[in-house]
Amino acid sequence: MKKTMFGACLAGIVVSILCGCKGAADTKQVKVGILHSLSGTMSISEAPVHDAEMLAIQEINETGGVLGKQIKVIVEDGESDPATFASKARKLLQDDKVATVFGCWTSASRKAVKPVFEELYGLLWYPVQYEGMEASPNIMYMGASPNQQIVPAVDYCVEHYGKRVYLIGSDYVFPRTANRIIKAQIAQLGGDCIREEYTPLGHQDYAKIIADIKKEKPNVILNTLNGDSNVAFFNQLTEAGITSKEIPVMSFSIAEEEANVIGAKNLVGHLVAWNYYETTETPRNKQFVSDYKNTYGEDRFTGDPIEAGYIAVYMWAAACEKAGSFDVEEVRMASKGLSFTAPEGTVTIDGANQHLYKQVRIGKINEEGLIDEIWATPGAVKPDPYLSTYAWARGL
């Protein structure tokens, strides 16, 4: 009987030690989620953002981690499908119990996960410019709001090319809302939106739309296509003999990585509007570009959403350090007014809406597929996601 009791006690002690060791190991890590489309039509854009986030995490871990803990990453694939994004977000928050999530690209995916983050009170760091009209307490917006991309790009196009514009976009939230903004702005400028065309994500046949473009001869095309549809559209535009000299295209979702896939020959002279380019001249950017290429290959490119994903990880880490905690609410409050010296320049979180102050840059794609800055605001612009400072945007 005594032998049995001793064995039971010994077994209990061993279990306690093992559990204690496991607990000790767990206390040395903090789990975060990365949720992007690593497959499907959006993988062309989202996989590089995942890579930038992983680079930032690697760098932070190499310098001691966050609050003395190493960052452990749990990666999930949104599969270019909003419903999948929502289910994976729930898994990360509810089952994996991550401290935060970096992810999404399309507004459809962000809208799908938003109620999940609000219900479970998680915190999403969203790395892409978008259509605005949103400010969730559970989302940190690292990309441009419409007054930091769409509005200045339209002003630039009208001033330099003319007032007859052609709208083409993918059929989901961002393009439709962006074009609602653009139409109101163009009307205020005395211009004319001569056509508004939408195609499903992943669409590949643009012959009919391009024939209409040739017929209508707009001054400029404003492009809100996303994903690999851009590859098909620009290839077919070139095949139809429409170059940037004849009809320039201003794109809102093509950065250097997409340009590399589409092909520089199809994009030379066309325009983009972002807050950052690989060619942006800051000391911090030279190091970022070097580190990114050393990690993933000299044939890889950085770009605005890639840089925004990188920023997100560092700003989360800084907010945790400031808060002395990984608690979502404490981190959220600590982030208010937080600044970071990013590759694009100094960015600051607006405590009122959790968007970043960012400098606006308009660029032209060159023969190497890189983007040359041709216009920029003098400094960082205050985010205005609801366009509340524009009289013509009332009622949008």
Side-chain angles (χ1 to χ4, degrees):
M1 179 69 178
K2 288 182 180 179
K3 186 176 181 181
T4 303
M5 288 293 293
F6 176 77
C9 290
L10 182 60
I13 292 169
V14 171
V15 169
S16 296
I17 292 171
L18 290 173
C19 289
C21 289
K22 183 176 184 298
D26 287 347
T27 62
K28 294 179 182 178
Q29 292 183 330
V30 57
K31 291 188 289 186
V32 305
I34 289 183
L35 177 57
H36 286 297
S37 295
L38 304 179
S39 61
T41 186
M42 288 308 302
S43 61
I44 179 180
S45 297
E46 294 193 61
V49 181
H50 157 277
D51 292 346
E53 291 159 352
M54 291 297 292
L55 175 61
I57 288 167
Q58 176 187 325
E59 291 175 350
I60 291 170
N61 278 341
E62 287 174 352
T63 55
V66 184
L67 295 175
K69 298 179 186 290
Q70 291 288 289
I71 303 171
K72 179 182 178 181
V73 186
I74 298 173
V75 177
E76 293 291 347
D77 181 4
E79 301 175 10
S80 303
D81 174 60
T84 302
F85 267 95
S87 65
K88 294 296 180 67
R90 185 170 293 278
K91 172 191 174 292
L92 287 168
L93 294 174
Q94 209 163 41
D95 299 341
D96 300 314
K97 301 189 184 308
V98 298
T100 199
V101 177
F102 307 97
C104 299
W105 177 294
T106 68
S107 288
S109 64
R110 190 193 69 256
K111 293 284 189 185
V113 305
K114 178 174 173 283
V116 177
F117 279 88
E118 291 174 346
E119 175 197 340
L120 300 176
Y121 212 75
L123 192 60
L124 172 69
W125 296 76
Y126 179 64
V128 186
Q129 46 61 248
Y130 81 119
E131 72 283 353
M133 311 302 164
E134 181 181 297
S136 169
N138 298 91
I139 301 176
M140 308 300 293
Y141 302 83
M142 299 290 101
S145 58
N147 73 303
Q148 298 167 319
Q149 187 202 32
I150 296 169
V151 174
V154 171
D155 281 339
Y156 183 90
C157 286
V158 168
E159 179 182 349
H160 290 83
Y161 300 107
K163 297 182 179 181
R164 297 182 69 253
V165 305
Y166 196 108
L167 307 181
I168 180 170
S170 298
D171 193 5
Y172 74 99
V173 178
F174 167 65
R176 286 192 174 274
T177 307
N179 284 342
R180 196 163 72 240
I181 293 168
I182 290 168
K183 287 185 290 184
Q185 185 179 359
I186 289 291
Q188 186 268 338
L189 293 170
D192 181 21
C193 291
I194 58 177
R195 194 78 78 231
E196 183 177 0
E197 296 285 350
Y198 297 97
T199 61
L201 280 167
H203 189 73
Q204 299 295 304
D205 184 2
Y206 287 92
K208 185 177 178 181
I209 290 174
I210 289 171
D212 189 51
I213 290 170
K214 292 186 79 168
K215 175 187 172 185
E216 294 295 336
K217 295 182 173 59
N219 298 130
V220 64
I221 299 167
L222 300 180
N223 170 33
T224 51
L225 292 172
N226 265 260
D228 59 10
S229 291
N230 276 303
V231 180
F233 175 68
F234 280 98
N235 272 318
Q236 291 164 38
L237 202 65
T238 300
E239 290 170 1
I242 300 174
T243 68
S244 60
K245 292 180 180 178
E246 294 171 327
I247 307 175
V249 180
M250 168 67 80
S251 296
F252 297 107
S253 295
I254 292 176
E256 288 87 339
E257 193 73 37
E258 290 82 8
N260 184 46
V261 176
I262 294 167
K265 65 182 178 64
N266 297 314
L267 291 171
V268 173
H270 288 302
L271 307 165
V272 293
W274 293 103
N275 311 109
Y276 163 88
Y277 303 117
E278 182 173 301
T279 56
T280 296
E281 294 184 2
T282 68
R284 184 68 186 85
N285 189 41
K286 290 179 181 177
Q287 187 64 54
F288 172 58
V289 172
S290 175
D291 291 343
Y292 189 83
K293 289 178 180 289
N294 286 341
T295 303
Y296 297 113
E298 287 297 321
D299 60 338
R300 293 288 299 275
F301 297 90
T302 62
D304 189 288
I306 291 170
E307 187 243 8
Y310 183 82
I311 288 174
V313 177
Y314 270 98
M315 296 208 85
W316 168 76
C320 292
E321 294 285 354
K322 182 180 174 183
S325 172
F326 296 111
D327 177 78
V328 166
E329 183 60 15
E330 291 182 34
V331 169
R332 194 176 75 82
M333 296 306 292
S335 72
K336 294 177 181 292
L338 194 66
S339 292
F340 174 66
T341 303
E344 69 185 74
T346 300
V347 295
T348 303
I349 297 177
D350 188 323
N353 55 39
Q354 298 181 178
H355 292 64
L356 290 181
Y357 281 74
K358 296 172 80 75
Q359 188 172 13
V360 184
R361 293 177 166 98
I362 290 173
K364 183 177 287 189
I365 301 169
N366 65 31
E367 293 178 353
E368 297 175 354
L370 292 174
I371 300 168
D372 299 320
E373 182 181 305
I374 57 174
W375 179 90
T377 54
V381 175
K382 178 181 172 62
D384 183 9
Y386 291 97
L387 296 176
S388 57
T389 57
Y390 298 86
W392 54 261
R394 290 171 188 163
L396 290 175

